[in-house]
Amino acid sequence: MEPYPLDLPTQGDESMQIGELARSTGVKIETIRYYEREHLLPVPQRTDGNYRLYSPRHVEQLRFIRFCRSLDMSLEEVRILIGARDAPAGSCRTVNTLLDEKMAEVDARVDELRQLQHQLRNLRGLCPQPDEEKTCAILMELNRSAGIEKAQI
């Protein structure tokens, strides 16, 4: 996928270099460059000295990406959302489908975490009163479940 062009004003008061962009968005410089390579950000203008110049559009895009990532969206999902946002005709269906799939992923992860919680509670229940003098029932069960018949505990 080719990076998309950006309509920027010629170098003006709103332009900033990468350090200022990083500070204003809370996104590390290395991450900004990575997003550029992944074509998630518009191609920035360059100064005569070849410094990148970023616009308010870059700030908005980075904030959008950062928020989507906080919702555990993958970069590919962020790319889809950016595409839907930039070409809104028919995008509601695409966005709804993506969110439905993401919610199903989250539901599956929640189920896995509940199973893990249940396993941990069962293990913890094996040793309600810790006793330094006897063999730990939790360690014995962990060894048994791992297929270790004779182990030093």
Side-chain angles (χ1 to χ4, degrees):
M1 177 184 246
E2 288 297 314
Y4 50 96
L6 178 65
D7 297 325
L8 288 175
T10 56
Q11 187 173 348
D13 292 340
E14 294 184 351
S15 296
M16 63 186 85
Q17 291 183 0
I18 198 165
E20 187 179 346
L21 178 64
R23 282 187 297 280
S24 69
T25 60
V27 177
K28 294 179 180 179
I29 290 172
E30 297 81 23
T31 304
I32 293 169
R33 289 184 177 140
Y34 176 72
Y35 290 160
E36 286 178 2
R37 286 191 306 272
E38 291 296 313
H39 308 298
L40 292 171
L41 285 175
V43 176
Q45 284 188 332
R46 296 276 184 160
T47 66
D48 292 338
N50 207 29
Y51 288 102
R52 295 174 176 98
L53 286 179
Y54 299 92
S55 72
R57 169 102 188 270
H58 289 98
V59 173
E60 291 172 4
Q61 188 88 331
L62 275 172
R63 287 181 179 159
F64 182 83
I65 293 167
R66 189 169 186 210
F67 185 72
C68 289
R69 297 289 287 154
S70 78
L71 296 174
D72 202 34
M73 298 288 177
S74 68
L75 290 182
E76 187 54 36
E77 290 165 333
V78 172
R79 189 181 324 280
I80 291 166
L81 292 170
I82 289 170
R85 190 183 69 173
D86 290 347
S91 64
C92 231
R93 178 173 287 135
T94 300
V95 172
N96 282 337
T97 299
L98 187 143
L99 287 181
D100 289 343
E101 290 170 359
K102 182 55 76 176
M103 287 185 296
E105 281 179 32
V106 170
D107 288 342
R109 285 180 17 211
V110 167
D111 289 344
E112 290 171 4
L113 287 172
R114 283 194 181 118
Q115 290 172 16
L116 174 60
Q117 182 183 48
H118 179 72
Q119 287 178 309
L120 292 172
R121 283 194 174 135
N122 285 342
L123 277 172
R124 183 60 180 92
L126 295 174
C127 191
Q129 298 294 324
D131 184 354
E132 298 286 332
E133 309 229 354
K134 69 177 195 174
T135 303
C136 178
I138 295 171
L139 291 175
M140 288 175 52
E141 178 58 25
L142 288 171
N143 280 329
R144 187 194 68 72
S145 295
I148 302 169
E149 292 182 28
K150 293 184 180 183
Q152 302 263 330
I153 299 177

